[in-house]
Amino acid sequence: MPFYLPIAEMSLNIFLLLGMGMAVGFLSGMFGVGGGFLMTPILIFAGIPPAVAVATEANEITAASVSGALAHGRRGGIDFKMGGMLIAGGAAGSIVGAQVFAYLRTVGQVDLMISLAYVVFLGSVGLLMLKESLTMWRRRVLGTLKPKKRDHSGWIHGLPFKMRFRKSRLYISGIMPIVIGFIVGVLAAIMGVGGGFIMIPAMIYILGMPTNVVIGTSLFQIVFVTASVTMQHSVNTQTVDIVLAMLLLTGAVIGAQMGARVGLKLKGEQLRAMLAIMVLTVCVRMGWGLVVQPEDLYSIGQVLQ
Amino acid sequence: MIRALQISLLLAVMVAGAPAHGDTLVSDISSHQIEVRYSFESSDLLLFGAIGHEGGAHDTHDFDIVIVVKGPEAPIIVRRKDHIAGIWMNNASVRYNNVPGYYAIAHSRPLDEIADAETMAAIGIGFENVRLDTDREVGAGEREAFRNGLVRNKERLGLFQNRSDHMYVMENTLFRAEFHFPSNVPVGDYDARIYLFQSGELLAEEQSPLNITKAGFSRSVYNLAHQNAALYGLLAVFLALAAGWLAGIVARK
């Protein structure tokens, strides 16, 4: 059954859209990730204009993260002060990201930027994850498991404007969370992702936050930053497709429930290795589109001011 | 599924006046409106009519009908990808100021058999005869490559069509043509022109307006997004928050 998407200005089968939402929801439920990095490329491969895919996915991530953020909030798993600093940086980053996005769209380079961002970020994150899960696996098999000491980055403590984050039991400079939030905000705006894949490692390894508040605080900031991205793209480029976002979300909610159940049955490093392979697959597929000669070298686009 | 497009273009080509050739085209359309709704996939427009003959049936041989449906003009940028630093990226571009958003030709025989190239060029029938103004001087070699690239892309989107298999002429009197409108048709004022040829000469020409709009829900969403972007953004965020919150409640049960 074809369904007309008013902003993408094209029709897609409604069951295909729900199915895509479910499939990505399943994987994100299984791996405990947001799924933006999967959904945006899939939308692009399905023929949705890349700019619409990115902006719409930001809108869907807001919806996909809010219930998780609420659940963590009830359990006390959010450091609101830290979250607030991350959001302040993230809001600024989303504004900058959306401006760059809008400019590149007028000069016809936004698709290239989206692909490049995916190749660079997913490539590096995927490789790191794969390396780590392989190391863990080898250690377990060889029986030489020794706890790795957390990397305390000394230079962080040299920064000024120190603040106390009670919930995270940290006394660090306020500059770092703002900078990290800013980077994630830019990525959210140009890649259509929540940015958890950057945010969570940054919280653990750079800020040194305890793991019990990492997920909740990350979700908390994702809700606000993707909401800000949605606003930015709505105002600057009119590329947010509400209808598409709601259809994807419906599928994703159902898929996530099933995925979470399957995920419980798998081992942590198995999951991480699978996730790493998936991340790298998306990265390679995006990169492939850049290096292989396109069927038609000529493309057309609207004239944008 | 709601059939969004229920339209037939009725062309009554009748005897009228007393022109030199004795054959004229007078046309009418039963509906001048196509609405794109949320279920709009694509639609076909049936266009039919008859050729009337002033002086009886003595010269009713070898009629040819060409119908051109043309959509509203808009500027379009054509970009060429070049291989730069190992990747294919948009490089050179040409801006065309007045590209028809839709241009479909239906004809009873191949165009070059109906009339010679000069005649077609003079009337403006055929992709190569669509007038396109560029924003800058383009070299001769590039001009054709970019123009062909534009036509190729438009054809791939189904927005430029040129076909002889959708025109039926019966008994040299009745004709019928189907036009296909994909879901990505631009909205606005369209123009359907019917040309009657005989022995390579244009005998008569008729024109009918046609309008395509986005209607109902999809129109409201599109209009809100473009006319009140901030409100649309707030609505998108609010909907996402509400839907996500609701989904969380449903999922816990």
Side-chain angles (χ1 to χ4, degrees), chain B residues 219-230:
Chain B
R219 181 192 195 130
S220 314
V221 173
Y222 182 90
N223 283 352
L224 184 64
H226 286 264
Q227 286 159 16
N228 203 336

Side-chain angles (χ1 to χ4, degrees), chain B residues 69-72 99-104 154 158-161 179-182 185-186 190:
Chain B
V69 178
K70 201 168 154 189
V99 183
Y102 181 86
Y103 189 88
K154 283 282 193 182
L159 294 171
F160 273 29
Q161 300 166 26
F179 285 88
H180 181 75
F181 291 87
V185 283
Y190 281 61

Side-chain angles (χ1 to χ4, degrees), chain A residues 28 36 40 49 56-57 84 87 89 91 96 142 168 207 210 219 225 234 245 248 255 259 263 274 276 281 296:
Chain A
S28 59
T40 305
T56 302
E57 186 49 21
I87 290 167
V96 171
L142 301 177
S168 301
L207 299 179
L219 282 171
V225 171
S234 294
L248 295 175
M274 282 163 69
T281 308
D296 194 344

Side-chain angles (χ1 to χ4, degrees), chain A residues 247-270:
Chain A
L247 283 173
L248 295 175
L249 176 73
T250 310
V253 168
I254 301 165
Q257 295 303 313
M258 301 191 289
R261 253 163 247 158
V262 176
L264 290 175
K265 295 191 183 114
L266 294 169
K267 287 198 184 70
E269 66 261 33
Q270 280 178 336

Side-chain angles (χ1 to χ4, degrees), chain A residues 3-12 17 48 52 241 243-245 247, chain B residues 37-38 40 214 218 221-222:
Chain A
F3 205 89
Y4 185 74
L5 304 169
I7 302 301
E9 295 193 73
M10 59 186 287
S11 289
L12 274 182
L17 292 170
I48 303 276
V52 175
D241 198 315
V243 178
L244 177 58
L247 283 173
Chain B
R37 289 180 184 275
Y38 65 86
F40 185 75
K214 296 198 180 200
S218 71
V221 173
Y222 182 90

Side-chain angles (χ1 to χ4, degrees), chain A residues 2-4 6-7 9-11 59 62-63 66-67 70 74 105-109 112 116 223 227 230-231 234-235 238 240-243 246 249 253 257 290-294 296-303 305, chain B residues 36-38 40-41 75-81 86-90 95 145-146 149-150 152-153 156 183-184 214 217-218 221-222 225-226 229-230 232-234 236-237 239-241 243-245 247-248 251-252:
Chain A
F3 205 89
Y4 185 74
I7 302 301
E9 295 193 73
M10 59 186 287
S11 289
N59 189 214
T62 308
V66 68
S67 69
L70 286 172
R74 273 191 294 268
R105 195 158 170 262
T106 60
V107 296
Q109 299 296 358
L112 175 70
L116 282 178
V223 169
T230 303
M231 279 305 293
S234 294
V235 171
Q238 291 89 44
V240 177
D241 198 315
I242 293 186
V243 178
M246 288 301 124
L249 176 73
V253 168
Q257 295 303 313
L290 289 175
V291 296
V292 171
Q293 178 166 352
D296 194 344
L297 292 179
Y298 292 83
S299 62
I300 57 174
Q302 281 173 285
V303 174
Q305 266 77 42
Chain B
V36 180
R37 289 180 184 275
Y38 65 86
F40 185 75
E41 185 187 19
I76 289 279
I77 286 191
V78 180
R79 297 190 170 92
R80 188 188 66 221
K81 284 197 173 62
I87 59 175
W88 290 92
M89 60 170 88
N90 288 334
R95 178 186 157 147
F146 272 96
L150 172 65
R152 209 164 46 236
N153 273 280
R156 201 179 300 133
S183 64
N184 53 357
K214 296 198 180 200
F217 178 66
S218 71
V221 173
Y222 182 90
H226 286 264
Y232 180 91
L234 282 175
V237 169
L239 268 177
L241 291 175
W245 174 72
R252 264 191 295 169

Side-chain angles (χ1 to χ4, degrees), chain B residues 10 23-24 33 69 72 101 126 143 154-155 164-165 168 174 181 187 189 194 208 211 221-222 228 234 237 242 245:
Chain B
L10 232 186
D23 303 291
T24 28
Q33 196 82 14
V69 178
R143 193 185 305 145
K154 283 282 193 182
E155 280 190 284
S164 55
D165 55 335
Y168 308 92
L174 300 167
F181 291 87
V187 297
D189 290 325
I194 304 96
S208 288
N211 188 264
V221 173
Y222 182 90
N228 203 336
L234 282 175
V237 169
W245 174 72

